[in-house]
Each structure stands twice: as structure tokens, then as C-alpha cells.
Amino acid sequence: MITPSAYGWTESETLRQHLESRGVSRRDFLKFCGEIAVVLGVGAAAAPRIARALEAVKRPTVIWLQLQECTGCVESVLRTADPTIGDLLLDLVSLDYNHTLMAGAGTAVEKAKQSSMAANKGKYILVVTGSIPTKEGGIYTMVGGRTAEVLVKEAADGAAAILAVGACAHFGSVQAARPNPTGAVGVRDIIKNRPIVNIAGCPPIGDTVTATVVHFLTYGRLPAVDGEGRPLFAYGKRIHDQCTRRAHFDAGQFVQAFDDESARKGFCLYSVGCKGPATFSPCPIFQWNTRTSWPIGAGHPCIGCTEPHFWDTMTPFYGRLPNVGGFAVEQRVDTIGAALAIGAAAGIATHAAATVYTQIKRRKATHQVPETATEPENQDG
Amino acid sequence: MARTRVVVDPITRIEGHLRIEAQSENGKIAKAWASSTQFRGIEIIMQGRDPRDAWAFTQRICGVCTTVHAIASCRAVEDALDIRIPANANTIRNLVHGMQFIQDHVIHFYHLHALDWVDVVSALSADPAAAAKIGQSISPWPNNGESELRAVQNRLKQFVGTGQLGIFTNGYWGHPAYKLPPEVNLLAVSHYLEALDWQRDVIRLHTVFGGKNPHPNFLVGGMASAINIDSTATINAERISDLMGMITRARAFVEQVYWPDLVAIAGFYKDWGAIGGGVPNFLACGEFPEGDVRDLETLYFPRGIILDKNLAKVHEYDPKKVQEYIHSSWYEYSKGDAAGLHPFEGETTPKYTGPKPPWTYLQDETKYTWMKTPRYEGRPMQVGPLARMLVAYGSGHKDVRELVGEALGKLNVGPEVLFSTLGRTAARGIETVLLARKMEQWLGDLNGRIKNGDVATFTKNKWEPSSWPAKSEGYGYLDAPRGALGHWVQIEDGKIARYQCVVPSTWNCSPRDAQGQTGPYESSLEDNHPLVDPERPLEILRTIHSYDPCMACGVHVLDAEGREVVEVRVQ
């Protein structure tokens, strides 16, 4: 999405016409729409509808602000790809401002941003990565002599929608961890009058960002979200419930130490600290880096990075979940032990009920649900 | 011409927030100020935390060089607890870090640095047939044919025709400092696009071993990715063959695209071999241990120091001789602003004294940055690819000497051009070629051990805190893509008591010290440095980008209890 658009897309052209001029067949395009429909969780049957919407779409403007951050989220979106049709998605938008990739610098790019925001007022998509430091009048992040808070307010003013991408824009991430020396907060804590969707994760999977943009272009609104403002199509289920190692959990087969015989058999990582049971994330389904693998798949426990304030609530990372507040029931699985499969199964039932209850409680503690969000047709979250 | 105030903020195509101010006179830069305008304060939460978690916190210092702080952190904790990791884990870390170098340096060259030398608009007027001829004369790369290049040019024409230039808006196109013929510009644009696809592919090596990129997972004591070539859920035969493909494709692109492009483009900018040299001292802490990390003899890139550009003498690097100052930085010391403190005595009390935002200039301020000022025996030092290659060259490193000689020969220039903006950019390419060739050997080492039945990836005897001493401390070094990095950790009663980092971009972006010595960025900009048009500061971008700034830095943290001062400056 953020590559320079080397394929020309004229103002008057629809995407369908544009694709034809680039030699993309309708068959390939429909196949792509089918895949996107699955990613979005609306079912393959919705593919024709997505196709119709995308075909008619005009190239919208994206302004991307990078605030108090590490640039990992930009890098993650750079990894988004589909070998034949990926470039196409990259062409869905006109990226008019992004520090990492812009050719010009200084006043030249600030002017470009101002003129683009003015020309597309009320229509552009604002992507924000990074948090906003609020202490000491905001002097902990300044660009061009102005603070992050001023910059994000200015850009939000004319935005149609805001994508808060990554844990920093979501809740402040690592710099907001206790005791948060710079007073770092997420976008939702500063901007109250615009629809915001939180693409959670440290960083999020790039495809989640892309799919959210497609959703916005296709349906004219942001996707339905949970209490954390995260799209349900990606964050609607717990890692634990989609995990490729779940069968081992159910069977009471746990890795007790890294690189033990159980680890070499790919058993469940719960005992070495996996936070999958408390984490809503698309990792096991979307996977990472063109579906190469994902953290648990590569043998490391989940650290819960899509959850708010995970640096405080999910640490120590190698401590079992019972050590984290709110999951005492799960201790039973552990104390019952791996050998007693029946006992473990009983533990699972209790554990499942307890965690679901916790999730419901959290979702009720709504932070900010976009005004435009409605329930999707085929919601299963 | 009168003295002109120049401000470039934001400096784009870097990691993080960097501001350059300068005064220009008669087409040259007279004075320069480099200012880091972001402070994050990450590491306070590490105090009192489990040291086995530290890699994940410090990794978030930077998402571009996303592995380097994690590995340095693991090494620091392993040093403190005297953990010897298995040979497989060390090799896997070398593979991961090696691919980080390769991918990061190629991205830097094409996506962050190339547009300083390549005029995208000029490529529109190229003759694709002539461009193909040039391309085929410098490389066997199959995509340098006329039809491929014509297709790229047509895409570009359509794109420019829309008037929606996206990230190319307000670039410095047509600037007189652009010297490449249109055909070379077209080749470079073509490879800019190819590199975007290439980088996504080869970085998947991180995903195989660490589960994702950016921010793959690591583990104190080794790596979490267990090896069992007969299991579906581990590093197995399928994963190994995938890795072989990535490593082959990484090397092919580096040898057939990046390196020939770099040499070809450099040939048009030889004058930049006499511009932007700056600080004449170079520091490399060494990297890629092929045995235990403590055995410096096994480092592929050696450790050492070059002083005053004298390649005949490589000095020993002693981490104890590092001191940090705050003369020009927004901090205060209990001993006063003139003190220089070793990192183990470091204090970090942020104290912003700059103008209240919004403001216009910082160059009239005594203190003008969140960066501190590291000095080695009082000297400013350059770190990074050039420092590594010079130290290796001076140490008689066979591979480095051969490739440096080849590059100098092709360009028909002497070694003095290495001390320049061009030299920094060339050194980055040289080490990328060497590492791209090295990866096959490392994977071969791993496979050899697996074949012999050694699949260990983790040392478990010191995993439990009950096995740790009451007090310990350790040092983790790592020569990252952008230069020498150090993590220092002190552990008490199973928790982190103190954690410090000294980071490459802090060395390079350091401001003036009390003696008036400028840091490497500033010094380079003041060294025979042109600036033809202050409104379009293309030349400043060239020199600053030659350092590949990674600015998510100035992360200095106070302990919550005020007991200890922690400081982390970030690459």
C-alpha cells in the first residue's frame, strides 16, 4: 500500500479500467477479491460485492504520520505482499506523506502534506503509527518545531477515518509501560471526534492494515470492531482457540523447558509462558511474512502484543498465565499435570468458561467504537 | 553570498525524527547542527523486571534493525549469568543477524538513499535499449533486458501522467547535483521496484527462526526454534530447504544487482569521495562470532579502533574508555554539565531547555538535542560499515582487502576516497557482499551439526533464577548494521537492577562537546561540503543518509524509585 505507485492511475479512471490497462485479468481480480473476502471474514460469497465496490473506487489519499515510535509498523506493511496482485493493492491509494519513503525532506514535504490535506479535506485516510507524548507540553516528540499532539490533531481534523496502526498508536506501547516517563498515549486518547480503528500488535501483521483499507474502500466505512477498537475480522478470536498446537493443550502435552523432547515434537507452549489464551490476534490464521510462520509456530510463546498494556499485564513473558491477574482458573491445568489427560480436559472446560467471561467483561469496557461501525453481516466474533 | 540559515526537518528516508540546521556561505556549509527531537523513555520498566524479558523491551527500540538490540540484550544477560549457548543457537543468530544486514543495507541503498543520487523523472527520457545495454554490461541479472526496462518506464510515464505523485511529490528532481544519465536512472528505478519484492522474500528467514518480522522472537540461552528434521512443527527438512532458497536469492540480488549498481552509480559521483569525510576516528566492536561470543578471535568482522585515518595501526578497543557528556544535550548531571561519565556511572535526568513549541530554530541554543555525546578517550568516533571495513582492512582481513581492492580498482581511485560520504556508502555494499557469501557457509555449518546428531538450540542449566548468583553483571556487544552497539546489565536477586545501552546513532549523531568538537554528522557536513540551493538541500541528504540514521533514540530513563539511573540510547 505504501510503495510508490509506478502504475499510473488517472483521476477519471476506475480501478477496473486501471487494472485492464495494467493487464490484470478479471479472473485474477475476482480471485483476489475472494481471498480478501475470506481475510475479512465475510465469506467467499461476498467476493462479487467486493469486486463491484473495488472496481468503481477512485484512488484515495493517505496521509501517514509517524510519531513516537520505532518504525517497525512501517516495516511490517512493507512486508505485505501477494506476488501477482500485491502491487495492485499498493496502487489502491495515493500515499502523499510518509517520512520513511518520501523523496523530499523538510519544508518540501511539509508543504506537500499541507496541500494534500487541503485538497482532500474530509476525504483522506489518516494512518498514525507511534504514540503521542503528553508530558511537559509534548516536547518529547517534535517535528519541524511542532509537537506530535499538534500534528495529529491537525491531520485528524480533515480525515475521513483514522487507522491507528500498531501498539504505540493503540495505547502507547512500550514507552507507555509503567511508569510512562513521557506520558505517552494512543490516538484514541487525543482524538475524540473521528472514527478510529486500532490495528493492534507490536507490530501488526501488514496484511491486517491492507485488509482494513480494502474494507473501508469497499463498504464505505471502517470494519466492525471489538471493545478495543480492533477489527473483528482479524482480532475476533483468541490465539488459543485457533492455535495449531491446541490439540496438544487439550491432550495435556506441554513443553516443560525449551528444546526438550516435547519442544522437538511441537507440543503446547502454555507451561513456558504462552499468552495465547489471553490474546486476540490473527497470527495463527493470517500468519506472518507471506504466511511463512508465526511466533508459536516457530517455538516461542506468544507475548500477547495485540492486547492493551501487554508490557505490564503479560510480563514476565515466561511466567505462566496464572501469574498474570485474572486467570487463576488456568492454574488447574498446570497443577493437574500433563500426565492426567482427563484431569486436563476438565481443567480446559473451566478455563474456557473463565477466560470467555473475562473477555466479555473487557469488551464491555468500551474505549471507543467508531461511529460508523456496525455489525458485519456474517459476524462470528 | 550572505550567510543563510538552513533547516531540514524532518529529514526523511531515515528511521525516526532528525533535524539538521546549517549555515551556508557561498555554496558551502559553514556550520551544522544535528538534533534528535524524540525521547521515548523505554527502559524504566526493565528495572525490577525479569532479565529474560529484556530482549523484547530493548528490541522495540528499533523496528528497522529489529534484531540487533534483542541479540545484544541476550548476550549481555548470558554474559552476566555465564550462559554458554549451543553452537547451533550461535549459528542461527548469525544467520538471523546476517540476513538483517543484507536486507537492511539493500533497503537502505534503494529505498532510503538512492533517491539522493537517482533522478526518477530523468528516467522518463531514457532509451530502454541503451539502458539494457548498460545493464547487461555490468551484470548477468536477467531482468535488465530492454522489454523489462521499457515496461518499467511505461509504468513510470503513466504514473507521472496522473499528477498524483505520492511519495515523489516535491522531490528535488532536476537538481544540478544529479549526474546520472537517464539510462542509469531507469536501471536504478527498475531495481528500486524489484528490491521491494526481494526484501519481503529474503527476510522470511527471520520468520522461520523467530516467528515473524519485524520483531522476531529470541531467547536467553539460545533460540526457541527447536530442530527436528522429521517433525512438522519445528525446524525441519522443509524449513531448511526454504532457507537455502532465500539465501541463494539474497546472494544473487546482492551480487548481481546491488553491488554492480553501487559501483556503476559511484563512478558518476567520484567527487563525493572528497566530500563529507568528517571525524577521522573509527570504532568497531566486532561481529559474527563463529565460536563462543567471548572468543574475539572467532569474529568474522574484527574489533578495533582506527585513529586519524591511519590504517597502518589498529588500536585495541576498550569499552572502559567510553564516556558520555551532555554539554549540548537536554539533560543535567549531578556533577554538573562538564562531567564525562562512563556508562556504568551514567545519569540521565532529562531537562528540556529548548524553546517552547512551536519554534523555528535551535542553532542559537547551547543545548539543542536529546542525544548525548559519547566520546572515546575524549574523541568523537564514527561507527558503522566504514568503521568495520577500515578496521578489517587495517587488520589484514583477506576478504575485505580483496573486495575493497576490487572496488577501488573498478573506480580507478585510491583508498583515500574511503574517508568520505561515498566511502560510507561503498563500505555498506562491501560488507553486504561478504555477508551474502557467508550465509551459505553458516547454513552449511548448521546442517553439518544436524547431520551429526547435534540439534541442541538452548542451554537450560541457568534458565531458572534459583540457579543465578545474588548479584551479577554483563556486557553484550554487537556490531549492528549501523555500527557498534553495547548493552550493559546488572542483575540483583533475579531482577534487573540496572540496564544501559550505548548505541550507534548516538555515536554518529552526537552534538558538540565542551571542547567544541562536533559529532560525525555535523563534522561531515562541515567538511568541504557543498550546498548549492538551500531551498533544495539534496547534498545534505546525501551525507546524512550515508550514515543510515536510525533515530528512535535518546531513550533515557529515570528509575521509578530514584534509586538508580538508567540510560538507554537507541539506534
Side-chain angles (χ1 to χ4, degrees), chain A residues 238-254 266-270 276-277 284 294 296 330 333 344-345 347-353 355-356:
Chain A
R238 296 188 309 163
I239 281 184
H240 193 49
D241 297 331
Q242 311 169 88
C243 184
T244 47
R245 299 188 179 205
R246 177 59 186 263
H248 295 297
F249 178 89
D250 293 346
Q253 296 171 322
F254 299 102
F267 285 180
C268 175
L269 296 163
Y270 172 75
W294 64 297
I296 292 171
E330 285 177 312
V333 184
I348 292 159
T350 325
H351 134 86
T355 47
V356 166

CSV table of all heavy atoms in Angstrom, one decimal, chain A residues 238-254 266-270 276-277 284 294 296 330 333 344-345 347-353 355-356:
chain,number,residue,atom,x,y,z
A,238,ARG,N,-9.5,-15.7,20.0
A,238,ARG,CA,-8.2,-15.8,20.7
A,238,ARG,C,-7.3,-16.7,20.0
A,238,ARG,O,-7.6,-17.6,19.3
A,238,ARG,CB,-8.5,-16.5,22.1
A,238,ARG,CG,-9.4,-15.6,23.0
A,238,ARG,CD,-9.5,-16.2,24.4
A,238,ARG,NE,-9.8,-17.7,24.3
A,238,ARG,CZ,-9.7,-18.5,25.3
A,238,ARG,NH1,-9.1,-18.1,26.4
A,238,ARG,NH2,-10.1,-19.8,25.2
A,239,ILE,N,-6.0,-16.4,20.1
A,239,ILE,CA,-5.0,-17.3,19.6
A,239,ILE,C,-5.2,-18.7,20.0
A,239,ILE,O,-5.1,-19.7,19.3
A,239,ILE,CB,-3.6,-16.7,20.0
A,239,ILE,CG1,-3.2,-15.5,19.1
A,239,ILE,CG2,-2.5,-17.8,19.9
A,239,ILE,CD1,-1.8,-15.0,19.3
A,240,HIS,N,-5.5,-18.8,21.3
A,240,HIS,CA,-5.6,-20.2,21.9
A,240,HIS,C,-6.7,-21.0,21.1
A,240,HIS,O,-6.5,-22.2,21.0
A,240,HIS,CB,-6.0,-20.0,23.3
A,240,HIS,CG,-5.9,-21.2,24.2
A,240,HIS,ND1,-4.8,-22.0,24.2
A,240,HIS,CD2,-6.8,-21.8,25.0
A,240,HIS,CE1,-5.0,-23.0,25.1
A,240,HIS,NE2,-6.3,-22.9,25.6
A,241,ASP,N,-7.7,-20.4,20.7
A,241,ASP,CA,-8.8,-21.1,20.0
A,241,ASP,C,-8.5,-21.4,18.5
A,241,ASP,O,-9.3,-22.0,17.9
A,241,ASP,CB,-10.1,-20.3,20.2
A,241,ASP,CG,-10.5,-20.1,21.6
A,241,ASP,OD1,-10.1,-21.0,22.4
A,241,ASP,OD2,-11.1,-19.1,22.0
A,242,GLN,N,-7.5,-20.8,18.0
A,242,GLN,CA,-7.1,-21.1,16.6
A,242,GLN,C,-5.7,-21.7,16.5
A,242,GLN,O,-5.2,-21.8,15.4
A,242,GLN,CB,-7.1,-19.7,15.8
A,242,GLN,CG,-8.3,-18.9,16.1
A,242,GLN,CD,-8.1,-17.5,15.5
A,242,GLN,OE1,-8.4,-17.2,14.3
A,242,GLN,NE2,-7.6,-16.6,16.3
A,243,CYS,N,-5.2,-22.1,17.6
A,243,CYS,CA,-3.7,-22.4,17.6
A,243,CYS,C,-3.5,-23.8,17.0
A,243,CYS,O,-4.2,-24.7,17.2
A,243,CYS,CB,-3.2,-22.4,19.0
A,243,CYS,SG,-1.4,-22.7,19.1
A,244,THR,N,-2.4,-23.8,16.2
A,244,THR,CA,-2.1,-25.1,15.5
A,244,THR,C,-1.6,-26.1,16.6
A,244,THR,O,-1.5,-27.3,16.3
A,244,THR,CB,-1.0,-24.9,14.5
A,244,THR,OG1,0.1,-24.1,15.1
A,244,THR,CG2,-1.5,-24.2,13.3
A,245,ARG,N,-1.3,-25.7,17.8
A,245,ARG,CA,-0.8,-26.6,18.8
A,245,ARG,C,-1.9,-26.9,19.8
A,245,ARG,O,-1.7,-27.5,20.9
A,245,ARG,CB,0.4,-26.0,19.5
A,245,ARG,CG,1.6,-25.8,18.6
A,245,ARG,CD,2.9,-25.5,19.3
A,245,ARG,NE,4.0,-25.3,18.3
A,245,ARG,CZ,5.3,-25.5,18.6
A,245,ARG,NH1,5.6,-25.7,19.9
A,245,ARG,NH2,6.2,-25.3,17.7
A,246,ARG,N,-3.1,-26.4,19.6
A,246,ARG,CA,-4.2,-26.6,20.5
A,246,ARG,C,-4.5,-28.0,20.9
A,246,ARG,O,-4.8,-28.3,22.1
A,246,ARG,CB,-5.5,-25.9,20.0
A,246,ARG,CG,-6.7,-26.1,20.9
A,246,ARG,CD,-6.5,-25.5,22.3
A,246,ARG,NE,-7.6,-25.7,23.2
A,246,ARG,CZ,-8.6,-24.9,23.4
A,246,ARG,NH1,-8.5,-23.7,22.8
A,246,ARG,NH2,-9.5,-25.2,24.2
A,247,ALA,N,-4.4,-28.9,19.9
A,247,ALA,CA,-4.6,-30.3,20.2
A,247,ALA,C,-3.7,-30.8,21.3
A,247,ALA,O,-4.1,-31.6,22.2
A,247,ALA,CB,-4.5,-31.2,19.0
A,248,HIS,N,-2.5,-30.3,21.4
A,248,HIS,CA,-1.6,-30.8,22.4
A,248,HIS,C,-2.0,-30.2,23.8
A,248,HIS,O,-1.8,-30.9,24.8
A,248,HIS,CB,-0.2,-30.3,22.1
A,248,HIS,CG,0.4,-31.0,20.9
A,248,HIS,ND1,0.6,-32.3,20.8
A,248,HIS,CD2,0.7,-30.5,19.7
A,248,HIS,CE1,1.0,-32.6,19.6
A,248,HIS,NE2,1.1,-31.5,18.9
A,249,PHE,N,-2.5,-29.0,23.8
A,249,PHE,CA,-3.1,-28.4,25.0
A,249,PHE,C,-4.2,-29.3,25.5
A,249,PHE,O,-4.2,-29.8,26.7
A,249,PHE,CB,-3.6,-27.0,24.8
A,249,PHE,CG,-4.2,-26.4,26.0
A,249,PHE,CD1,-3.4,-25.7,26.9
A,249,PHE,CD2,-5.6,-26.5,26.3
A,249,PHE,CE1,-4.0,-25.1,28.1
A,249,PHE,CE2,-6.1,-25.9,27.4
A,249,PHE,CZ,-5.3,-25.2,28.3
A,250,ASP,N,-5.1,-29.6,24.7
A,250,ASP,CA,-6.3,-30.5,25.0
A,250,ASP,C,-5.8,-31.8,25.5
A,250,ASP,O,-6.5,-32.5,26.4
A,250,ASP,CB,-7.2,-30.6,23.9
A,250,ASP,CG,-7.9,-29.3,23.5
A,250,ASP,OD1,-7.8,-28.3,24.4
A,250,ASP,OD2,-8.5,-29.1,22.4
A,251,ALA,N,-4.7,-32.3,24.9
A,251,ALA,CA,-4.3,-33.7,25.3
A,251,ALA,C,-3.3,-33.6,26.5
A,251,ALA,O,-2.8,-34.7,26.9
A,251,ALA,CB,-3.5,-34.3,24.1
A,252,GLY,N,-3.1,-32.4,27.0
A,252,GLY,CA,-2.2,-32.3,28.2
A,252,GLY,C,-0.7,-32.5,27.8
A,252,GLY,O,0.0,-32.9,28.7
A,253,GLN,N,-0.4,-32.2,26.6
A,253,GLN,CA,1.0,-32.4,26.2
A,253,GLN,C,1.7,-31.0,26.1
A,253,GLN,O,1.5,-30.2,25.2
A,253,GLN,CB,1.0,-33.0,24.8
A,253,GLN,CG,0.5,-34.4,24.8
A,253,GLN,CD,0.3,-35.0,23.4
A,253,GLN,OE1,-0.1,-34.3,22.5
A,253,GLN,NE2,0.5,-36.3,23.3
A,254,PHE,N,2.6,-30.7,27.1
A,254,PHE,CA,3.2,-29.4,27.2
A,254,PHE,C,4.7,-29.5,27.1
A,254,PHE,O,5.3,-30.4,27.6
A,254,PHE,CB,2.8,-28.8,28.6
A,254,PHE,CG,1.3,-28.6,28.8
A,254,PHE,CD1,0.6,-29.5,29.5
A,254,PHE,CD2,0.7,-27.5,28.1
A,254,PHE,CE1,-0.8,-29.3,29.7
A,254,PHE,CE2,-0.7,-27.4,28.3
A,254,PHE,CZ,-1.4,-28.2,29.0
A,266,GLY,N,6.9,-30.3,19.0
A,266,GLY,CA,5.9,-29.2,18.7
A,266,GLY,C,4.7,-29.2,19.7
A,266,GLY,O,3.6,-28.8,19.3
A,267,PHE,N,4.9,-29.5,21.0
A,267,PHE,CA,3.8,-29.5,21.9
A,267,PHE,C,3.4,-28.1,22.3
A,267,PHE,O,4.1,-27.1,22.0
A,267,PHE,CB,4.2,-30.3,23.2
A,267,PHE,CG,4.2,-31.9,22.9
A,267,PHE,CD1,4.5,-32.7,24.0
A,267,PHE,CD2,3.8,-32.4,21.7
A,267,PHE,CE1,4.5,-34.1,23.8
A,267,PHE,CE2,3.8,-33.8,21.5
A,267,PHE,CZ,4.1,-34.6,22.6
A,268,CYS,N,2.4,-28.0,23.2
A,268,CYS,CA,1.9,-26.7,23.6
A,268,CYS,C,2.8,-25.9,24.5
A,268,CYS,O,3.5,-26.5,25.4
A,268,CYS,CB,0.6,-27.0,24.4
A,268,CYS,SG,-0.1,-25.5,25.1
A,269,LEU,N,2.9,-24.6,24.3
A,269,LEU,CA,3.9,-23.8,25.0
A,269,LEU,C,3.3,-23.1,26.2
A,269,LEU,O,4.0,-22.2,26.8
A,269,LEU,CB,4.4,-22.7,24.0
A,269,LEU,CG,5.2,-23.3,22.8
A,269,LEU,CD1,5.3,-22.2,21.7
A,269,LEU,CD2,6.6,-23.8,23.3
A,270,TYR,N,2.2,-23.5,26.6
A,270,TYR,CA,1.5,-22.9,27.8
A,270,TYR,C,2.4,-22.9,29.0
A,270,TYR,O,2.5,-21.9,29.7
A,270,TYR,CB,0.2,-23.7,28.1
A,270,TYR,CG,-0.5,-23.3,29.3
A,270,TYR,CD1,-1.2,-22.1,29.4
A,270,TYR,CD2,-0.4,-24.1,30.5
A,270,TYR,CE1,-1.8,-21.7,30.6
A,270,TYR,CE2,-1.0,-23.7,31.7
A,270,TYR,CZ,-1.7,-22.5,31.7
A,270,TYR,OH,-2.3,-22.1,32.8
A,276,GLY,N,-1.2,-17.0,24.6
A,276,GLY,CA,-2.2,-17.2,23.6
A,276,GLY,C,-3.6,-17.3,24.2
A,276,GLY,O,-4.6,-16.8,23.6
A,277,PRO,N,-3.8,-17.9,25.4
A,277,PRO,CA,-5.1,-18.0,25.9
A,277,PRO,C,-5.8,-16.6,26.3
A,277,PRO,O,-7.0,-16.6,26.5
A,277,PRO,CB,-4.9,-18.8,27.2
A,277,PRO,CG,-3.7,-19.7,26.9
A,277,PRO,CD,-2.8,-18.8,26.1
A,284,PRO,N,-2.4,-16.9,14.1
A,284,PRO,CA,-2.4,-18.3,13.7
A,284,PRO,C,-3.1,-18.5,12.3
A,284,PRO,O,-2.8,-19.4,11.6
A,284,PRO,CB,-3.1,-19.1,14.8
A,284,PRO,CG,-3.6,-18.1,15.8
A,284,PRO,CD,-3.2,-16.7,15.3
A,294,TRP,N,4.6,-18.2,12.3
A,294,TRP,CA,4.1,-17.3,13.3
A,294,TRP,C,4.8,-17.6,14.6
A,294,TRP,O,5.5,-18.7,14.7
A,294,TRP,CB,2.6,-17.3,13.4
A,294,TRP,CG,2.0,-18.6,13.8
A,294,TRP,CD1,2.1,-19.8,13.2
A,294,TRP,CD2,1.2,-18.8,15.0
A,294,TRP,NE1,1.4,-20.8,13.9
A,294,TRP,CE2,0.9,-20.2,15.0
A,294,TRP,CE3,0.8,-18.0,16.0
A,294,TRP,CZ2,0.1,-20.7,16.0
A,294,TRP,CZ3,0.0,-18.5,17.0
A,294,TRP,CH2,-0.3,-19.9,17.0
A,296,ILE,N,4.3,-18.8,17.7
A,296,ILE,CA,4.2,-20.1,18.3
A,296,ILE,C,4.6,-21.2,17.3
A,296,ILE,O,5.3,-22.2,17.7
A,296,ILE,CB,2.7,-20.3,18.8
A,296,ILE,CG1,2.4,-19.4,20.0
A,296,ILE,CG2,2.5,-21.8,19.2
A,296,ILE,CD1,0.9,-19.4,20.4
A,330,GLU,N,-6.8,-21.2,35.3
A,330,GLU,CA,-5.9,-22.0,34.5
A,330,GLU,C,-4.8,-22.7,35.2
A,330,GLU,O,-4.2,-23.6,34.7
A,330,GLU,CB,-5.3,-21.1,33.4
A,330,GLU,CG,-6.4,-20.7,32.3
A,330,GLU,CD,-5.8,-19.8,31.3
A,330,GLU,OE1,-5.3,-18.8,31.7
A,330,GLU,OE2,-6.0,-20.0,30.1
A,333,VAL,N,-5.0,-26.5,35.2
A,333,VAL,CA,-4.4,-27.3,34.1
A,333,VAL,C,-3.0,-27.7,34.4
A,333,VAL,O,-2.6,-28.8,34.2
A,333,VAL,CB,-4.4,-26.5,32.8
A,333,VAL,CG1,-3.9,-27.4,31.6
A,333,VAL,CG2,-5.8,-25.9,32.5
A,344,ALA,N,-6.9,-32.8,32.8
A,344,ALA,CA,-6.6,-31.7,32.0
A,344,ALA,C,-7.8,-31.2,31.2
A,344,ALA,O,-8.1,-30.1,31.1
A,344,ALA,CB,-5.4,-32.0,31.0
A,345,ALA,N,-8.5,-32.2,30.7
A,345,ALA,CA,-9.7,-31.9,29.9
A,345,ALA,C,-10.7,-31.1,30.8
A,345,ALA,O,-11.4,-30.1,30.4
A,345,ALA,CB,-10.4,-33.1,29.4
A,347,GLY,N,-10.0,-29.3,33.3
A,347,GLY,CA,-9.4,-28.0,33.5
A,347,GLY,C,-9.7,-27.1,32.4
A,347,GLY,O,-10.0,-26.0,32.5
A,348,ILE,N,-9.7,-27.7,31.2
A,348,ILE,CA,-9.9,-26.9,30.0
A,348,ILE,C,-11.3,-26.3,30.0
A,348,ILE,O,-11.5,-25.1,29.7
A,348,ILE,CB,-9.7,-27.7,28.7
A,348,ILE,CG1,-8.3,-28.1,28.6
A,348,ILE,CG2,-10.2,-27.0,27.5
A,348,ILE,CD1,-8.1,-29.3,27.7
A,349,ALA,N,-12.3,-27.1,30.4
A,349,ALA,CA,-13.6,-26.6,30.3
A,349,ALA,C,-13.8,-25.4,31.3
A,349,ALA,O,-14.3,-24.4,30.9
A,349,ALA,CB,-14.6,-27.7,30.8
A,350,THR,N,-13.3,-25.5,32.5
A,350,THR,CA,-13.3,-24.4,33.4
A,350,THR,C,-12.6,-23.2,32.9
A,350,THR,O,-13.0,-22.1,33.0
A,350,THR,CB,-12.7,-24.8,34.8
A,350,THR,OG1,-13.0,-26.2,35.0
A,350,THR,CG2,-13.3,-24.0,35.9
A,351,HIS,N,-11.4,-23.5,32.4
A,351,HIS,CA,-10.5,-22.4,31.9
A,351,HIS,C,-11.2,-21.7,30.8
A,351,HIS,O,-11.2,-20.5,30.7
A,351,HIS,CB,-9.2,-23.1,31.5
A,351,HIS,CG,-8.7,-22.6,30.2
A,351,HIS,ND1,-7.9,-21.5,30.1
A,351,HIS,CD2,-8.8,-23.1,29.0
A,351,HIS,CE1,-7.5,-21.4,28.8
A,351,HIS,NE2,-8.0,-22.3,28.2
A,352,ALA,N,-11.9,-22.4,29.9
A,352,ALA,CA,-12.5,-21.8,28.8
A,352,ALA,C,-13.6,-20.9,29.3
A,352,ALA,O,-13.7,-19.7,28.8
A,352,ALA,CB,-13.1,-22.8,27.8
A,353,ALA,N,-14.4,-21.4,30.2
A,353,ALA,CA,-15.5,-20.5,30.7
A,353,ALA,C,-15.0,-19.3,31.4
A,353,ALA,O,-15.5,-18.2,31.1
A,353,ALA,CB,-16.3,-21.3,31.7
A,355,THR,N,-12.1,-17.7,30.9
A,355,THR,CA,-11.5,-16.7,30.0
A,355,THR,C,-12.5,-16.0,29.2
A,355,THR,O,-12.4,-14.8,28.9
A,355,THR,CB,-10.4,-17.4,29.1
A,355,THR,OG1,-11.0,-18.5,28.5
A,355,THR,CG2,-9.2,-17.7,29.8
A,356,VAL,N,-13.5,-16.7,28.7
A,356,VAL,CA,-14.6,-16.1,28.0
A,356,VAL,C,-15.2,-15.0,28.8
A,356,VAL,O,-15.5,-13.9,28.3
A,356,VAL,CB,-15.6,-17.1,27.5
A,356,VAL,CG1,-16.9,-16.4,27.0
A,356,VAL,CG2,-15.0,-18.0,26.4
